[in-house]
Amino acid sequence: MSPFTGSTPRTSTWHHIRLDLAPTGVATVTLARPEKLNALTFGAYADLRDLLAELSRERSVRALVLAGEGRGFCSGGDVDEIIGATLSMDTAQLLDFNRMTGQVVRAVRECPFPVIAAVHGVAAGAGAVLALAADFRVADPSARFAFLFTRVGLSGGDMGAAYLLPRVVGLGHATRLLMLGEPVRAPEAERIGLISRLTDEGSADEAAQALAHHLAEGPALAYAQTKALLTAELDMPLAAAVELDAATQALLMTGEDYTEFHAAFTEKRPPKWQGR
């Protein structure tokens, strides 16, 4: 994401999500409709898309936690405000909506900082895909994931799920989860790789924050390039991937953080990472 901006000012208030920015460089984005299990609306999708773009341009955030308020992470698209509304849309409007939801997933994957989903309770439908798109999924034993799209008569490959899920859990598990829409509870989700870190009951938010602060203290540029390569190389042949790795490493070797590591090692002290 380019840091250059035009005439659009920074958004002062986000109406459909809650944003907290810590001085450490950790951003916490909370889905805050607990009475609806944080069901997503058109506005929430648009806010997530636009917020991630703004934070990517500003380059002040070093890690982001995506969390849900109340009893669960996110129950997916709001049945009345989205599913009901889409029944009266024409094809062009439906395409605009579905492209927007995909843009949110792309923004999560392409932003230059790690994204940690803090999952407790339900992560269903679009909520499951948002967690899937994150770089880390930190969850407690109450977490359950369900890719429910076929249950409402739609393709299980929504919002990039058919691209991302096989790469996280393998084609066999992904076929089962996307075809049947059955819930996957925390023990199985951890076993198949859908959960990055399983915490004690009620500790997902705390553990996600701890991981985010650990990442925020580290070499931000190295993390950004690692994330970019993980995404870019998914579909590359080996020769192209190792060439991209070589070019990336050559650039990072001219950076301040690489020089700082050598100085810190020589002086027997911890590195002071600058993200440059």
Side-chain angles (χ1 to χ4, degrees), residues 127-210:
V129 183
L130 285 179
L132 173 65
D135 301 290
F136 300 90
R137 286 159 297 284
V138 176
D140 79 2
S142 72
R144 60 189 188 280
F145 300 83
F147 298 86
L148 297 174
F149 306 109
T150 60
R151 296 289 187 94
V152 300
L154 297 176
S155 164
D158 194 27
M159 297 172 62
Y163 179 89
L164 291 171
L165 193 59
R167 289 163 169 81
V168 173
V169 303
L171 181 60
H173 290 306
T175 300
R176 173 172 58 92
L177 300 183
L178 295 182
M179 286 278 194
L180 300 179
E182 295 175 344
V184 182
R185 298 189 179 276
E188 182 187 4
E190 182 186 32
R191 178 176 61 81
I192 65 177
L194 189 53
I195 288 176
S196 310
R197 183 174 297 177
L198 186 61
T199 73
D200 294 332
E201 188 77 35
S203 298
D205 286 343
E206 180 182 355
Q209 288 290 333

Side-chain angles (χ1 to χ4, degrees), residues 22-233:
T24 56
V26 173
T28 303
V29 177
T30 305
L31 306 175
R33 299 182 75 210
E35 72 285 357
K36 293 287 189 78
L37 275 175
N38 302 317
L40 297 165
T41 62
F42 294 113
Y45 279 117
D47 270 5
L48 284 170
R49 175 199 62 196
D50 297 343
L51 170 64
L52 287 164
E54 282 196 15
L55 295 179
S56 296
R57 286 194 299 268
E58 291 174 1
R59 303 291 171 93
S60 59
V61 168
R62 297 172 74 98
L64 183 144
V65 174
L66 180 61
E69 183 178 318
R71 295 180 293 116
F73 176 71
C74 177
S75 59
D78 190 285
V79 173
D80 295 321
E81 294 193 35
I82 287 187
I83 297 179
T86 54
L87 294 175
S88 61
M89 290 182 176
D90 62 26
T91 303
Q93 292 170 317
L94 291 170
L95 186 55
D96 284 341
F97 164 65
N98 283 285
R99 281 175 171 162
M100 175 176 68
T101 65
Q103 287 164 359
V104 175
V105 170
R106 285 190 60 185
V108 173
R109 292 302 316 146
E110 294 174 4
C111 62
F113 42 78
V115 176
I116 303 108
V119 182
H120 69 286
V122 66
V129 183
L130 285 179
L132 173 65
D135 301 290
F136 300 90
R137 286 159 297 284
V138 176
D140 79 2
S142 72
R144 60 189 188 280
F145 300 83
F147 298 86
L148 297 174
F149 306 109
T150 60
R151 296 289 187 94
V152 300
L154 297 176
S155 164
D158 194 27
M159 297 172 62
Y163 179 89
L164 291 171
L165 193 59
R167 289 163 169 81
V168 173
V169 303
L171 181 60
H173 290 306
T175 300
R176 173 172 58 92
L177 300 183
L178 295 182
M179 286 278 194
L180 300 179
E182 295 175 344
V184 182
R185 298 189 179 276
E188 182 187 4
E190 182 186 32
R191 178 176 61 81
I192 65 177
L194 189 53
I195 288 176
S196 310
R197 183 174 297 177
L198 186 61
T199 73
D200 294 332
E201 188 77 35
S203 298
D205 286 343
E206 180 182 355
Q209 288 290 333
L211 176 57
H213 282 82
H214 172 74
L215 290 164
E217 293 171 355
L221 186 57
Y223 291 153
Q225 293 306 308
T226 302
K227 176 173 180 172
L229 292 179
L230 283 167
T231 298
E233 293 181 14

